[in-house]
Amino acid sequence: MKHFFYLLILLVLPSALWSQSNPNNALGLRFGDNGGVGPELSYQQALTHDTRYQIDLGWRSNRLDQANQNLFKLSAAYQWVRLLDGDFQYYYGAGTGVLYQNVDTGDAGAEAFSSTNLLFSGVVGVEYTGIEVFFGKPVHLGLDIRPEYGLGGYYNALVFDVALALRFGF
């Protein structure tokens, strides 16, 4: 039994060390117009060597004519990742999301409203992971385009969201 335990340690330890050197998670920001919503908090989780999912939370609060507008968008996408060369890779995928819009007109006399919309999206992008900071963990620097189609309200047509992403791997 003791030999089995030592054999198990010898088999599991190298794979655990390898998995720590290649982070499966990345957290950061995605900067783009986001279909008019603003920056996004972005999280990626590897599922397999070639696939991952990405969850983004975007927000914006601004003045729209004489009204206050608040937008929140939560989107998720399943992505396939392919190696280009060295630390460069490209990815593509599809996903869905929800957009909430609230417009408060205050004293402007117009009607206040809010709406919740379902979104369907795709994504195509490139990513560089060759920059290392903090204990040898990579920085993911990416550029992508995400076409989104909304069902009514704020998004009632096809919108293209181009963004630059900066995520830290862990």
Side-chain angles (χ1 to χ4, degrees):
M1 185 68 176
K2 201 181 229 184
H3 295 291
F4 176 74
F5 180 70
Y6 290 132
L7 180 63
L8 186 65
I9 288 176
L10 287 175
L11 292 175
V12 172
L13 187 61
S15 65
L17 292 175
W18 181 81
S19 69
Q20 290 300 317
S21 66
N22 297 319
N24 291 325
N25 305 305
L27 179 65
L29 293 174
R30 186 174 179 273
F31 303 97
D33 65 350
N34 193 10
V37 176
E40 295 178 334
L41 182 61
S42 181
Y43 174 74
Q44 293 175 337
Q45 170 69 51
L47 297 173
T48 67
H49 180 65
D50 295 332
T51 62
R52 67 181 177 203
Y53 69 86
Q54 178 175 319
I55 298 174
D56 299 315
L57 175 63
W59 66 94
R60 183 176 78 184
S61 179
N62 66 348
R63 300 265 311 149
L64 179 66
D65 295 326
Q66 297 296 316
N68 293 320
Q69 174 178 298
N70 295 304
L71 297 169
F72 297 96
K73 182 166 75 169
L74 178 64
S75 61
Y78 184 85
Q79 300 174 349
W80 289 268
V81 182
R82 303 288 187 250
L83 186 64
L84 277 174
D85 184 35
D87 296 322
F88 282 100
Q89 54 196 15
Y90 71 97
Y91 55 94
Y92 55 93
T96 187
V98 176
L99 174 84
Y100 173 75
Q101 176 188 23
N102 181 25
V103 177
D104 179 17
T105 58
D107 297 331
E111 236 180 272
F113 68 92
S114 64
S115 67
T116 303
N117 309 82
L118 182 62
L119 306 172
F120 297 101
S121 65
V123 64
V124 175
V126 293
E127 191 171 58
Y128 179 69
T129 59
I131 305 167
E132 291 186 1
V133 295
F134 309 123
F135 308 110
K137 300 298 182 187
V139 171
H140 299 232
L141 184 61
L143 177 66
D144 65 40
I145 183 167
R146 185 170 63 195
E148 297 175 327
Y149 185 78
L151 300 176
Y154 187 74
Y155 281 171
N156 57 3
L158 185 63
V159 176
F160 289 91
D161 176 16
V162 179
L164 178 66
L166 178 66
R167 299 178 190 95
F168 295 94
F170 62 95

